[in-house]
């Protein structure tokens, strides 16, 4: 499941974009009891989260896992973004977007 900050218009648009491309479990952070998901002390406003079983990923890794869960080309894009050196670059890009999302 992808957890996003529903107070952020940019995050809402991204979640809608992902929903339109596949049957992906996506939820707004404020609609969930974060503590029951194993994220008791995290700031869900600072980064998106991907939860699958016992695995927890935040930021660009959450987006990579969400994309990889989609079928077709977007799954391929997610797999490519997980490869070095793109994984490091996608982390930098994600952090810049997260820090500037109010302007996007």
């Amino acid at each position: 499941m992808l957890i996003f900050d529903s107070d952020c218009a940019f995050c809402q648009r991204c979640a809608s974009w992902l929903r339109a491309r596949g049957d992906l479990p996506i939820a707004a952070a404020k609609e969930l009891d974060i503590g029951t998901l194993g994220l008791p002390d995290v700031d869900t406003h600072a980064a998106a989260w991907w939860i699958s079983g016992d695995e927890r990923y935040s930021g660009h890794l959450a987006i990579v896992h969400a994309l990889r869960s989609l079928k077709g080309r977007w799954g391929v894009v997610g797999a490519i973004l997980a490869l070095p050196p793109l994984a490091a670059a996608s982390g930098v890009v994600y952090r810049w977007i997260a820090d500037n999302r109010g302007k996007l």
Side-chain angles (χ1 to χ4, degrees):
M1 171 190 326
L2 181 70
I3 300 171
F4 72 99
D5 176 9
S6 60
D7 293 332
C8 166
F10 179 78
C11 299
Q12 290 175 13
R13 287 191 305 274
C14 291
S16 294
W17 184 90
L18 285 165
R19 279 188 187 109
R21 278 148 187 83
D23 186 20
L24 191 65
I26 300 174
K30 70 179 180 183
E31 296 172 358
L32 301 171
D33 181 356
I34 297 300
T36 64
L37 297 172
L39 304 174
D41 295 326
V42 300
D43 183 1
T44 54
H45 296 287
W49 282 85
W50 178 260
I51 297 176
S52 179
D54 291 335
E55 298 177 326
R56 306 287 184 265
Y57 301 97
S58 67
H60 75 286
L61 294 177
I63 303 307
V64 163
H65 283 275
L67 289 170
R68 289 177 72 177
S69 295
L70 296 174
K71 305 291 185 224
R73 67 179 156 207
W74 295 113
V76 173
V77 169
I80 290 170
L81 289 175
L83 298 172
L86 290 178
S90 65
V92 171
V93 170
Y94 180 91
R95 189 74 270 148
W96 183 87
I97 290 171
D99 291 343
N100 294 283
R101 62 192 171 147
K103 302 172 191 172
L104 300 175

